[in-house]
Amino acid sequence: MTESNRRSGEYEYGAPQGTAHEGTYPQHGTYPQPGAHAQPGAYAQQHSYTAPSPVNPEWPPPPPYEPPTAVAAGPVPGPEPKKKRTRGPIALLAAVAIVAAAVGGATAYAFQELTGTDTAVTAGATTNVVPSSKQGNVAAIAAAVSPSVVEVKATLSNGSSTGSGVIITSDGEIVTNNHVISGSDSIRVRTSDGKSYPAEVVGTDSSKDLALLKLQGASGLKTASLGDSAGVQVGDTVVAIGSPEGLTGTVTSGIVSALNRDVTVPTSESQGQGRGDGQWPFQFGGRQFNGDTGSSTTTYKAIQTDASLNPGNSGGALIDASGNVIGINSAMYASSQQSSSSSDAGSIGLGFAIPINTVKSDLAKLRAGSGS
C-alpha cells in the first residue's frame, strides 16, 4: 500500500521509465532507489546539515543552499537619471512672454515692420530714443528726433500756410494738424535733409484737428517713436521741433505747464486759413487768441507747455526727455503787435499740444480716408 502511493508520483520530477536515466541520480549524494526502502539517517550522513525527510524519498532533496540569482552582465546600475522636462507650448509661451517683457517697446516697432503694418505706433509703450545717460539732454534729443519732423507747405486758393508734421512710417505717412492743410489745393513736404516730396491727404479729423498725409515716392524715412501721453506729468522736461516762420528744424525746450487744458479751434476750412501772419485762432479759458474762431469749432484736451512755439510749429512734435513724441503742437499765442512793438516780440510761453494717445487712437479712422 505504501509502495503504491510512492509510485503514483514516481516520475513527476524524474525521467520516464525505460530511459537511460531511470533510477540514476547525481553522484555527490546517496539517494534511495525506486522500489527500495529509505535508510534512516543515510542522507544526513552524507551532508553537513540536517534536512527533513522528503515526503517521497524517491525525489531528490533540496540543495544545501539556494543557488545564486543570475545577474545579467552589464554595468552596475547607478541612481536613475532625472528625466528631462519636456518644454511644451505653455513653457514656450512663458519664455516668449519673459523675453518680450524684457525687450519692451523697441520690439513692438520691429514686429510691426516685419508684419507689414509699417507703423511706429505702440500701445502704451515707450522706448529710449536717446541713450539713458543723455536723457533730458536737448542736443541729444534734437539730433535723434529732428530727422523725423518735416515742414508742411500747403497752397491755398487765397494764399499759403506753413506748418510742420511728424513721420510715423518709413514710406512717408505724416501726422499734422488739420488746420495746416485744410482747404489746400496742393501740398509739399520737406524733410530735414532738404528733400521735397508732393503729398496727398489720406484722411482728416477736424474734431481733433488732425490730418494724415502720404508722401509720394518716399522710402527709408526715419520714423518717430510715439510715446505714452498718459504718463506725462506737470514739470516734465519737453522739447519742441518744428518750422516756425518757415525755419525748418527749429528746436526749443521747456516744461509741461499743465494738463487737460480745454482748447477750442475752428473746424471750418475757410476760417483762419490763408492768413499771411500764420496765426491760427484758438480759444482758451473763455478768451479768443489770434483772432475769432468763428461759430464752427471743436474742443479737445491739450498738454500746455512753455516751450517756445510760433506760427509754423503747428503739427510739429512735442518730445519727452527720452526722445518719444508725446504730443502734436497745435495752438500757440502770438501777439498781433509783434511787427510794431519789440516788447511783444517772441513767444510768451503759452502753447498747446494734442496728446499723442489721442493721435494713436485716431489713426485707424485717418487711414480709412475719413474726412470730417
Side-chain angles (χ1 to χ4, degrees):
M1 188 73 176
T2 303
E3 184 70 16
S4 175
N5 287 339
R6 291 175 182 169
R7 293 187 180 275
S8 63
E10 181 176 356
Y11 301 107
E12 185 172 352
Y13 292 98
Q17 288 184 352
T19 67
H21 300 286
E22 182 177 353
T24 61
Y25 290 88
Q27 299 301 314
H28 58 271
T30 302
Y31 304 98
Q33 299 298 320
H37 294 284
Q39 299 296 324
Y43 184 77
Q45 292 175 358
Q46 299 295 324
H47 297 279
S48 60
Y49 70 96
T50 303
S53 299
V55 174
N56 190 340
E58 298 174 5
W59 297 346
Y65 53 86
E66 284 192 17
T69 303
V71 179
V76 178
E80 185 175 355
K82 294 183 179 179
K83 293 183 178 180
K84 185 176 181 181
R85 300 181 85 181
T86 302
R87 298 179 66 86
I90 295 178
L92 179 59
L93 289 175
V96 172
I98 292 172
V99 173
V103 174
T107 301
Y109 173 67
F111 174 78
Q112 289 163 339
E113 284 289 314
L114 290 173
T115 54
T117 57
D118 198 25
T119 177
V121 178
T122 56
T126 60
T127 186
N128 291 329
V129 178
V130 297
S132 57
S133 61
K134 293 188 177 182
Q135 288 190 13
N137 184 303
V138 176
I141 295 171
V145 186
S146 288
S148 302
V149 181
V150 299
E151 178 189 83
V152 178
K153 189 115 178 150
T155 301
L156 313 172
S157 59
N158 57 347
S160 65
S161 67
T162 301
S164 305
V166 177
I167 302 172
I168 63 170
T169 65
S170 60
D171 62 348
E173 280 190 346
I174 308 292
V175 170
T176 187
N177 288 140
N178 178 59
H179 74 250
V180 171
I181 54 86
S182 180
S184 62
D185 296 325
S186 64
I187 303 171
R188 290 200 72 85
V189 170
R190 185 169 63 168
T191 56
S192 63
D193 59 4
K195 293 182 179 179
S196 180
Y197 299 88
E200 295 180 345
V201 177
V202 176
T204 62
D205 187 350
S206 60
S207 66
K208 296 182 177 67
D209 194 19
L210 292 173
L212 182 66
L213 309 179
K214 181 66 166 63
L215 305 188
Q216 299 177 16
S219 63
L221 301 180
K222 183 173 182 179
T223 59
S225 172
L226 306 189
D228 182 6
S229 53
V232 175
Q233 297 181 354
V234 173
D236 283 352
T237 298
V238 290
V239 172
I241 302 179
S243 301
E245 306 296 348
L247 301 174
T248 304
T250 297
V251 177
T252 57
S253 64
I255 64 168
V256 173
S257 303
L259 299 171
N260 300 316
R261 294 297 201 192
D262 290 324
V263 174
T264 301
V265 296
T267 58
S268 173
E269 290 185 359
S270 62
Q271 184 63 34
Q273 300 300 316
R275 296 179 55 172
D277 57 11
Q279 298 173 12
W280 316 120
F282 71 96
Q283 180 179 331
F284 169 69
R287 298 175 59 193
Q288 299 277 350
F289 298 90
N290 305 341
D292 185 7
T293 57
S295 59
S296 178
T297 61
T298 184
T299 301
Y300 55 84
K301 299 289 185 182
I303 299 171
Q304 182 181 334
T305 179
D306 70 349
S308 180
L309 301 178
N310 293 285
N313 274 110
S314 292
L318 188 67
I319 308 155
D320 67 12
S322 297
N324 300 290
V325 177
I326 57 170
I328 300 296
N329 299 320
S330 59
M332 67 290 302
Y333 174 70
S335 173
S336 61
Q337 304 298 319
Q338 286 183 8
S339 59
S340 60
S341 173
S342 61
S343 62
D344 292 330
S347 171
I348 64 172
L350 187 61
F352 301 93
I354 302 169
I356 202 63
N357 285 6
T358 300
V359 178
K360 291 192 288 188
S361 66
D362 207 37
L363 271 178
K365 179 180 178 181
L366 295 172
R367 284 181 171 138
S370 301
S372 59

